[in-house]
Amino acid sequence: MNKNVSSVCDRLREQATDYALMEQAKEYALEYMRGVQDRPVFPEDEAISGLEVFREPLQEEPSDPYEVIKRLHESASPATVAQTGGRYFGFVCGGIAPAALASKWLSDTWDQNAGMFVMSPAAGVLEDVCEKWLVDLLGLPENTAAGFVGGSCTATLCALAAGRNHLLEQLGYDAGKSGLFGAPEIKVVLGEGAHSTIYKSLSLLGLGSERIIKIPTDDQGGVRADAVPELDNRTLLILQAGNVNSGAYDDFESICKKAKAAGAWVHVDGAFGLWAAASEKLRHLVKGVELADSWSIDAHKTLNAPYDNGIVFCRNRDALVKALQMSGSYIVFSENRDGMIYTLDMSRRGRIFELWATLKSLGKRGVEELVNDLHDKAVYFAAALRDKGFQIKNDVCFNQILLSLRDSDSTERALKLVQDSGECWCGGSKWEGQSVIRVSVCSYRTTLEDIDRSVAAFALAREKVLG
Ligand SMILES: *Cc1c(COP(=O)(O)O)cnc(C)c1O
């Protein structure tokens, strides 16, 4: 090797102790935080066109790291969606709790691999701790296992893999070894209002999308308990705690009891809605949910943890681990937690530090108050919108509001005007065949003033559309 030529790695080593670079990144971040409430909630066209600077061939030579982060700050930051402010109501996206963000900055510098205890004892212990905290907080059965994944989509995939393999195993068939080709047929039953990610998981798991038996839903989007088909010991039943449009909950108590008696596996998609279990006031919504076998939930939604923080829970620890392990039934649980045995990934970032920080900073009462606050604000929002002449299409049982104007066309036009106003942002959806606007109150950052300001934007849009 030529010792006189300074290599790229030499330069990287110098940069690794250039703390001013990190200070610069912090400056930019703080500038963003200070302005987030004042920027348009959805980026303006000009900011989006500004992203074109990124579409360039990768240059041959290294760039100055100061220039790299400056480019992001100058060109990407203006095109971000102001989701951490108080007036973002799109999809079901949470904000970011301050301690969680700070913990993310800190733990990013550690860059831990949370795959195995030996790679990161800190991640292993905190995963253990959060597993117990969450099982307790959500009232799930003792010793329920948790896997810390990117989001509900992956959580559902893990849970349904466990359910599928467990049902087959009870029938004397080892799907891990023999694959699905000669397997007894699994019956999949879910509600009409199931989230699209469930279908994705089912198709990835070889369970298809056309063989599914769909349970009709009531006018709120919860499954009709009286319409649940016959269940048996080869049935995978998927219920929902929080319909992505209306927020509606299925009747877990009666349906789970029926499923249990039949030997079916019940999974609950509780992405944002299962958090109601942490609130005394709202717990009635999830009554009986603990009778299920597996659950998926997002901390990056209702809990306001940073992305990407999803959790899969499974009552039967062995079933989850077996489905996600290559080593079949020869599982040895080591004394120390190896997070990878509960997830699809081997290498994973230490997202648990942020989840732990969110929970630790809130405490039980904080989580409960947050959940209640989102509900209260949604109720307030819905009443104000109704006052301004919008139709509210759902019972606001949790944090979701569906609204419309006179018809699909006027609703869509009003939505576009609200989005373009930059005052707030929410998306559209379909409900009973009609276009609707979906408002999700999912951030602790939202104040009543934020809601009033957003409602004013809605009222103005209505006036423009209806004249
Ligand atoms: C958001 C959501 C999902 C998907 O979760 P991701 O975290 O985006 O993977 C699934 N089900 C419901 C009900 C949701 O709201």
Side-chain angles (χ1 to χ4, degrees), residues 91-92 150-156 193-198 240-245 269-273 296-298 300-301 307 309-310 400 438:
F91 302 91
V92 190
S152 277
C153 187
T154 310
T156 303
H195 194 269
S196 56
T197 52
I198 305 292
Q240 194 165 239
N243 176 294
V244 75
N245 283 315
D269 173 7
F272 65 93
S296 44
I297 191 169
D298 279 323
H300 57 227
K301 289 179 178 166
Y307 288 101
N309 260 298
Q400 303 289 109
R438 175 179 53 196

Side-chain angles (χ1 to χ4, degrees), residues 8 11 57-63:
V8 172
R11 250 193 271 176
L58 180 60
Q59 82 287 344
E60 200 59 41
E61 293 302 316
S63 337

Side-chain angles (χ1 to χ4, degrees), residues 35-54:
V36 75
Q37 296 277 41
D38 304 318
R39 60 168 56 210
V41 178
F42 194 83
E44 283 164 349
D45 291 346
E46 197 188 327
I48 295 174
S49 338
L51 292 169
E52 288 305 312
V53 300
F54 291 106

Side-chain angles (χ1 to χ4, degrees), residues 198-451:
I198 305 292
Y199 290 91
K200 178 168 161 169
S201 299
L202 290 169
S203 102
L204 275 167
L205 290 168
L207 297 171
S209 54
E210 289 190 345
R211 311 166 43 260
I212 296 170
I213 302 173
K214 293 188 189 171
I215 316 171
T217 45
D218 58 26
D219 63 340
Q220 293 300 311
V223 300
R224 275 178 39 207
D226 65 324
V228 174
E230 201 175 316
L231 308 170
D232 55 26
N233 63 350
R234 44 187 74 191
T235 304
L236 209 46
L237 170 66
I238 300 146
L239 299 177
Q240 194 165 239
N243 176 294
V244 75
N245 283 315
S246 66
Y249 290 74
D250 293 338
D251 175 359
F252 304 111
E253 195 171 39
S254 77
I255 303 173
C256 287
K257 276 185 183 156
K258 187 173 165 184
K260 284 257 128 157
W265 178 287
V266 185
H267 175 71
V268 175
D269 173 7
F272 65 93
L274 189 55
W275 292 104
S279 152
E280 202 176 311
K281 193 171 100 182
L282 296 171
R283 196 168 295 146
H284 65 95
L285 294 167
V286 295
K287 190 151 183 266
V289 80
E290 71 285 352
L291 299 171
D293 297 285
S294 58
W295 305 261
S296 44
I297 191 169
D298 279 323
H300 57 227
K301 289 179 178 166
T302 316
L303 192 68
N304 283 243
Y307 288 101
D308 41 11
N309 260 298
I311 306 139
V312 52
F313 291 106
C314 192
R315 170 194 293 274
N316 182 334
R317 187 171 292 267
D318 286 4
L320 181 65
V321 174
K322 273 190 212 164
L324 300 174
Q325 278 273 85
M326 294 157 289
S327 47
S329 44
Y330 314 104
I331 316 292
V332 230
F333 290 104
S334 70
E335 195 179 321
N336 293 313
R337 182 185 173 104
D338 291 325
M340 71 175 198
I341 68 172
Y342 303 101
T343 62
L344 294 179
D345 303 302
M346 182 168 180
S347 294
R348 267 176 320 139
R349 67 186 198 88
R351 56 173 68 94
I352 197 66
F353 301 119
E354 301 144 27
L355 180 53
W356 175 85
T358 313
L359 290 168
K360 182 72 185 165
S361 75
L362 286 169
K364 282 190 187 179
R365 191 169 72 78
V367 174
E368 175 162 26
E369 235 178 74
L370 171 62
V371 167
N372 289 342
D373 185 67
L374 299 179
H375 172 60
D376 293 344
K377 297 246 162 72
V379 169
Y380 175 88
F381 206 148
L385 287 166
R386 191 181 284 119
D387 246 21
K388 297 289 179 196
F390 286 88
Q391 291 171 42
I392 305 300
K393 313 293 273 187
N394 64 321
D395 295 339
V396 183
C397 64
F398 187 30
N399 66 331
Q400 303 289 109
I401 310 165
L402 293 180
L403 60 135
S404 65
L405 257 187
R406 202 170 44 203
D407 49 23
S408 282
D409 177 61
S410 56
T411 303
E412 284 168 26
R413 276 161 51 215
L415 173 61
K416 178 87 174 66
L417 288 169
V418 168
Q419 290 174 339
D420 289 348
S421 74
E423 285 289 282
C424 66
W425 201 89
C426 43
S429 190
K430 291 276 177 197
W431 190 250
E432 292 172 341
Q434 296 289 307
S435 295
V436 287
I437 298 173
R438 175 179 53 196
V439 170
S440 177
V441 183
C442 216
S443 175
Y444 72 92
R445 204 70 201 264
T446 299
T447 61
L448 295 181
E449 290 72 43
D450 284 320
I451 294 174

